[in-house]
Amino acid sequence: MADRAGDGTAPVVLSMGGSVLITGDEDERFLPDLAALLRKVVHDFPLVVTAGGGRVARDYIRLGRALSLTETELDELGIDVSRLNARLLAAVIGPPCPPHPPTSLAEAVREAHRSRIVVLGGTEPGHTTDGVAGMLAERLRAQRLVNATRVPGLFERDPRKDPTARRVDRLDYAGFRKMVDASVAGTAGQQFVFDRLGLESLARAKIPLRIVQGRDLPNLEHALRGEEFVGTEIR
Ligand code: UTP
C-alpha cells in the first residue's frame, strides 16, 4: 500500500495552515513560489497537501457563533473556506495537480493513488485540516507529515503571548499529547499548533511530524525532504 502514483515512493503529507497560505501580505508573490517548490519536490516523492482556512475561516466562525449557528454549521463554514484555499493553491500549482480538490478522505486516497500531487481542504465536521492531514498520512503510510504554520515550531507556551517561551526541538508523542490536551477546547475554530485527531493518527502509525514556519520556503523544503531543518520534530 505504500506505492503511490508511480515509482513506489511513500508520499509526504504537507498541512499548510490557512494563516500561512493566505495572509494578506505578499500572497501574490508567495503562492507561485510555494507552487514552484511543490512542483519541484514531487519529482522525488508524491505529495498530499491540505490547505487550512486561516483568518477568513476564523472570521466566519466568529460571526456564525455570534449568530447562534450550531457547532456543526460553524465547522461547515470552516470547511468551505479551507476548500476555497485548496482550490486556489491547486490552480496555482497547475497540472498534474487535480483542479477540483477531493472532499472526503476516501476520495483523497483514491486521488493520491492516481496523481503525484493532490491538494484538498476540509472533509467533515469535528476536526481541522491538520486532522485531515494526519488521517491521510496514516491511510497512505506517509514518510512524514510537515505542518507549515505561523510559528517556527512548537513552543513551551504561545510565543505570541510570551516572547520568552522556548522552542521544543525534539519531542515524543506522549509529551506532545500532554501539551495538546492542556490547550485545546475542541470547538470550531480551535487554535493550537496541531489537531488532536491528527496527532492520534500519527502516533498510532509512528509517522514523524515536523512543525515549521511555512513562509520560509528553503527551510520548508528541507523539512519536506527529511533533511536537517529549523523547527520541531515529534516522533
Ligand atoms: P482549519 O484547518 O483552517 O483550522 O479549519 P485552524 O487550525 O484554525 O487553521 P489554520 O492552520 O490557521 O488555517 C478551520 C475550521 O474549519 C472546521 C473546524 O471548525 C476548524 O476549526 N473544519 C476544518 C472541520 O470541521 N473539518 C475539517 O475537515 C476542516
Side-chain angles (χ1 to χ4, degrees), residues 17-19 52-54 58 75 78-79 122-129 132 188-190:
S19 33
R58 279 194 292 280
D75 280 346
I79 292 170
T123 54
E124 56 189 51
H127 45 73
T128 69
T129 49
V132 175
Q190 62 172 302

Side-chain angles (χ1 to χ4, degrees), residues 163-178:
T164 67
R166 281 175 309 177
R167 189 176 67 224
V168 183
D169 286 347
R170 298 286 175 271
L171 189 67
D172 61 20
Y173 275 110
F176 188 41
R177 194 177 282 123
K178 277 191 201 141

Side-chain angles (χ1 to χ4, degrees), residues 15-21 50-58 61 65 71-83 85 103 121-133 135 147-150 186-195:
S15 179
M16 208 62 216
S19 33
V20 160
L21 201 55
T50 60
R55 200 181 52 207
V56 176
R58 279 194 292 280
I61 288 169
R65 185 166 277 131
E71 282 298 315
T72 302
E73 288 168 330
L74 298 177
D75 280 346
E76 284 166 351
L77 288 175
I79 292 170
D80 281 350
V81 177
S82 65
R83 285 181 179 164
N85 287 349
T103 56
T123 54
E124 56 189 51
H127 45 73
T128 69
T129 49
D130 288 342
V132 175
M135 290 183 273
N147 184 31
T149 179
R150 268 176 300 189
T187 50
Q190 62 172 302
Q191 289 220 12
F192 184 67
V193 76
F194 206 73
D195 181 282

Side-chain angles (χ1 to χ4, degrees), residues 138-154:
E138 183 182 23
R139 298 240 187 134
L140 295 168
R141 299 175 199 220
Q143 301 180 39
R144 69 187 64 84
L145 192 158
V146 176
N147 184 31
T149 179
R150 268 176 300 189
V151 284
L154 177 69

Side-chain angles (χ1 to χ4, degrees), residues 7 9-10 40-46 116 143 225:
D7 64 5
T9 312
K40 181 169 83 170
V41 298
V42 294
H43 290 297
D44 297 315
F45 45 81
R116 274 306 264 193
Q143 301 180 39
R225 291 187 181 282

